[in-house]
mmCIF file of all heavy atoms in Angstrom:
data_model
loop_
_atom_site.group_PDB
_atom_site.id
_atom_site.type_symbol
_atom_site.label_atom_id
_atom_site.label_comp_id
_atom_site.label_asym_id
_atom_site.label_seq_id
_atom_site.Cartn_x
_atom_site.Cartn_y
_atom_site.Cartn_z
ATOM 1 N N GLY A 101 -5.650 -0.241 -7.509
ATOM 2 C CA GLY A 101 -4.998 0.843 -6.844
ATOM 3 C C GLY A 101 -6.023 1.900 -6.407
ATOM 4 O O GLY A 101 -6.081 2.284 -5.299
ATOM 5 N N TYR A 119 -7.419 -0.009 13.245
ATOM 6 C CA TYR A 119 -7.743 -1.328 13.582
ATOM 7 C C TYR A 119 -6.931 -2.368 12.650
ATOM 8 O O TYR A 119 -6.908 -2.105 11.450
ATOM 9 C CB TYR A 119 -9.261 -1.708 13.379
ATOM 10 C CG TYR A 119 -10.123 -0.795 14.281
ATOM 11 C CD1 TYR A 119 -11.099 0.007 13.826
ATOM 12 C CD2 TYR A 119 -9.926 -0.876 15.732
ATOM 13 C CE1 TYR A 119 -11.837 0.824 14.605
ATOM 14 C CE2 TYR A 119 -10.877 -0.053 16.492
ATOM 15 C CZ TYR A 119 -11.860 0.639 15.964
ATOM 16 O OH TYR A 119 -12.536 1.435 16.750
ATOM 17 N N LEU A 131 -6.105 -9.754 -3.303
ATOM 18 C CA LEU A 131 -6.374 -11.169 -3.699
ATOM 19 C C LEU A 131 -7.526 -11.207 -4.743
ATOM 20 O O LEU A 131 -7.433 -11.725 -5.870
ATOM 21 C CB LEU A 131 -6.682 -12.070 -2.567
ATOM 22 C CG LEU A 131 -6.990 -13.527 -2.907
ATOM 23 C CD1 LEU A 131 -5.757 -14.195 -3.693
ATOM 24 C CD2 LEU A 131 -7.343 -14.256 -1.647
ATOM 25 N N HIS A 145 -8.554 -12.505 -23.614
ATOM 26 C CA HIS A 145 -7.365 -12.185 -24.521
ATOM 27 C C HIS A 145 -6.715 -13.541 -24.927
ATOM 28 O O HIS A 145 -5.966 -13.601 -25.899
ATOM 29 C CB HIS A 145 -6.383 -11.382 -23.856
ATOM 30 C CG HIS A 145 -6.951 -10.022 -23.558
ATOM 31 N ND1 HIS A 145 -7.290 -9.060 -24.504
ATOM 32 C CD2 HIS A 145 -7.360 -9.452 -22.394
ATOM 33 C CE1 HIS A 145 -7.755 -7.991 -23.919
ATOM 34 N NE2 HIS A 145 -7.758 -8.207 -22.678
ATOM 35 N N GLY A 159 -1.062 -11.203 -12.690
ATOM 36 C CA GLY A 159 -1.120 -10.940 -11.237
ATOM 37 C C GLY A 159 0.014 -9.972 -10.735
ATOM 38 O O GLY A 159 -0.365 -9.084 -9.946
ATOM 39 N N LEU A 161 1.873 -7.863 -12.573
ATOM 40 C CA LEU A 161 1.714 -6.496 -13.078
ATOM 41 C C LEU A 161 0.482 -5.789 -12.525
ATOM 42 O O LEU A 161 0.606 -4.653 -12.325
ATOM 43 C CB LEU A 161 1.518 -6.607 -14.639
ATOM 44 C CG LEU A 161 2.809 -7.045 -15.454
ATOM 45 C CD1 LEU A 161 2.459 -7.256 -16.889
ATOM 46 C CD2 LEU A 161 3.985 -5.997 -15.217
ATOM 47 N N ILE A 168 2.259 1.024 -7.111
ATOM 48 C CA ILE A 168 2.636 2.339 -7.501
ATOM 49 C C ILE A 168 1.619 3.373 -7.136
ATOM 50 O O ILE A 168 1.854 4.477 -6.623
ATOM 51 C CB ILE A 168 3.077 2.474 -8.945
ATOM 52 C CG1 ILE A 168 4.281 1.616 -9.293
ATOM 53 C CG2 ILE A 168 3.195 3.831 -9.586
ATOM 54 C CD1 ILE A 168 4.576 1.316 -10.763
ATOM 55 N N ILE A 174 -0.233 7.360 -0.686
ATOM 56 C CA ILE A 174 0.180 7.526 0.718
ATOM 57 C C ILE A 174 1.097 8.712 0.845
ATOM 58 O O ILE A 174 1.029 9.382 1.950
ATOM 59 C CB ILE A 174 0.886 6.166 1.306
ATOM 60 C CG1 ILE A 174 1.045 6.184 2.794
ATOM 61 C CG2 ILE A 174 2.381 6.063 0.666
ATOM 62 C CD1 ILE A 174 -0.254 6.021 3.474
ATOM 63 N N ASP A 183 -1.638 14.255 9.326
ATOM 64 C CA ASP A 183 -1.036 14.563 10.443
ATOM 65 C C ASP A 183 -1.448 13.826 11.644
ATOM 66 O O ASP A 183 -0.567 13.384 12.516
ATOM 67 C CB ASP A 183 -1.210 16.077 10.725
ATOM 68 C CG ASP A 183 -0.412 16.931 9.723
ATOM 69 O OD1 ASP A 183 0.544 16.461 9.127
ATOM 70 O OD2 ASP A 183 -0.842 18.169 9.474
ATOM 71 N N LYS A 186 -0.142 10.151 11.566
ATOM 72 C CA LYS A 186 1.276 9.955 12.050
ATOM 73 C C LYS A 186 1.250 9.950 13.531
ATOM 74 O O LYS A 186 1.965 9.069 14.208
ATOM 75 C CB LYS A 186 2.193 10.975 11.412
ATOM 76 C CG LYS A 186 3.548 10.779 11.898
ATOM 77 C CD LYS A 186 4.478 11.799 11.310
ATOM 78 C CE LYS A 186 5.911 11.660 11.840
ATOM 79 N NZ LYS A 186 6.834 12.575 11.268
ATOM 80 N N PHE A 230 4.914 0.491 -0.950
ATOM 81 C CA PHE A 230 5.214 -0.020 -2.357
ATOM 82 C C PHE A 230 5.619 -1.534 -2.142
ATOM 83 O O PHE A 230 5.055 -2.384 -2.794
ATOM 84 C CB PHE A 230 6.369 0.756 -3.100
ATOM 85 C CG PHE A 230 6.787 0.146 -4.361
ATOM 86 C CD1 PHE A 230 5.863 0.231 -5.409
ATOM 87 C CD2 PHE A 230 7.848 -0.615 -4.427
ATOM 88 C CE1 PHE A 230 6.179 -0.336 -6.720
ATOM 89 C CE2 PHE A 230 8.157 -1.222 -5.659
ATOM 90 C CZ PHE A 230 7.321 -1.088 -6.784
ATOM 91 N N LYS A 249 -4.760 -21.217 -14.130
ATOM 92 C CA LYS A 249 -4.135 -21.645 -15.277
ATOM 93 C C LYS A 249 -5.004 -22.776 -16.036
ATOM 94 O O LYS A 249 -5.646 -23.520 -15.342
ATOM 95 C CB LYS A 249 -2.755 -22.234 -15.025
ATOM 96 C CG LYS A 249 -2.683 -23.630 -14.399
ATOM 97 C CD LYS A 249 -1.251 -24.141 -14.237
ATOM 98 C CE LYS A 249 -1.448 -25.514 -13.572
ATOM 99 N NZ LYS A 249 -0.501 -26.440 -14.131
ATOM 100 N N SER A 254 -4.906 -30.745 -25.676
ATOM 101 C CA SER A 254 -5.310 -31.490 -26.905
ATOM 102 C C SER A 254 -4.098 -32.028 -27.623
ATOM 103 O O SER A 254 -4.129 -33.149 -28.220
ATOM 104 C CB SER A 254 -6.165 -30.574 -27.807
ATOM 105 O OG SER A 254 -5.406 -29.560 -28.227
ATOM 106 N N THR A 259 -0.635 -37.428 -28.924
ATOM 107 C CA THR A 259 0.558 -38.101 -29.140
ATOM 108 C C THR A 259 0.603 -39.405 -28.496
ATOM 109 O O THR A 259 -0.071 -39.937 -27.730
ATOM 110 C CB THR A 259 1.814 -37.203 -28.423
ATOM 111 O OG1 THR A 259 1.381 -36.984 -27.043
ATOM 112 C CG2 THR A 259 1.979 -35.921 -29.221
#
Side-chain angles (χ1 to χ4, degrees):
Y119 299 121
L131 178 61
H145 300 287
L161 290 173
I168 291 168
I174 197 70
D183 290 335
K186 183 177 178 179
F230 177 78
K249 74 173 183 145
S254 62
T259 56

